[in-house]
Amino acid sequence: MIKPQVGIVMGSDSDLEIMNDAAIILTDLGLTYEVLVLSTHRAPEETAKYAKSAKNRGLKVIIAGAGGAAALPGSLASLTTLPVSGVPIETKTLGGVDSLYSIVSMPPGVPVATVGINSAKNAGILAAEIIAAGDSKVHSKISQYKQKIRQEVLAKNKRLQAFGAEKYLAQKQKT
């Protein structure tokens, strides 16, 4: 069994649809991961055990998604020396701004990198970039990915310049 390099943790299984975007990009970049539902509020002992054991189990980065009070990323970061990336999950009441504010409001000494609301894909890319700092294979895959998205943007621009805005939009709406 291959050891996971990244932990993807969420406070509720209702966050799985969003957090799965991190898993997809990590798979595309050839990184291994584990996915868990833990809760700082509802399962504090298990959450603390996970954070405290993460480094010894071979994890290099933790991605934590949470909505509302969004304590999970900060709680994990307070219990490990691994980098933690927080994904604020959109909420019905405040649209995820509450989650964003909670995750970015960490005290000095307990940093949590924070991506945009529902931006688990970016958290996965950030995790890969962190790992790539010490792994040339992952660095190469990240470089290839960035080149791919660069080419996609340039191809769109070429079509836009050739067709003009109205025709480009009409063509885009058909697909």
Side-chain angles (χ1 to χ4, degrees):
M1 185 171 165
I2 299 173
K3 285 187 176 184
Q5 299 164 289
V6 179
I8 301 172
V9 187
M10 62 208 82
S12 171
D13 65 350
S14 63
D15 303 334
L16 183 57
E17 188 174 341
I18 300 297
M19 296 304 290
N20 193 51
D21 289 346
I24 291 168
I25 192 67
L26 290 170
T27 297
D28 291 348
L29 295 170
L31 292 165
T32 56
Y33 58 87
E34 60 189 14
V35 180
L36 297 93
V37 174
L38 292 171
S39 172
T40 295
H41 298 117
R42 296 179 296 252
E45 293 89 7
E46 293 81 1
T47 302
K49 182 179 176 185
Y50 177 79
K52 290 176 180 179
S53 69
K55 185 170 177 27
N56 288 338
R57 291 184 307 101
L59 291 182
K60 294 180 172 75
V61 180
I62 297 173
I63 300 170
L72 183 61
S75 175
L76 292 169
S78 74
L79 296 166
T80 185
T81 58
L82 293 177
V84 175
S85 180
V87 179
I89 302 294
E90 184 176 353
T91 58
K92 292 178 185 172
T93 52
L94 297 173
V97 174
D98 50 341
S99 311
L100 175 65
Y101 286 166
S102 293
I103 296 172
V104 300
S105 297
M106 295 303 300
V110 188
V112 173
T114 309
V115 297
I117 297 168
N118 288 354
S119 296
K121 181 176 183 177
N122 274 351
I125 293 167
L126 179 59
E129 289 176 337
I130 291 167
I131 293 168
D135 186 322
S136 61
K137 287 182 182 179
V138 178
H139 184 270
S140 176
K141 288 187 180 206
I142 287 284
S143 294
Q144 290 170 11
Y145 172 77
K146 299 255 177 152
Q147 182 63 21
K148 176 184 160 219
I149 62 174
R150 176 180 173 268
Q151 292 301 325
E152 289 170 355
V153 167
L154 294 176
K156 289 176 184 180
N157 183 54
K158 186 176 181 179
R159 283 194 306 278
L160 174 60
Q161 299 310 310
F163 296 136
E166 286 183 34
K167 190 173 180 182
Y168 181 89
L169 284 173
Q171 188 180 50
K172 187 174 176 180
Q173 290 172 350
K174 290 179 185 177
T175 57

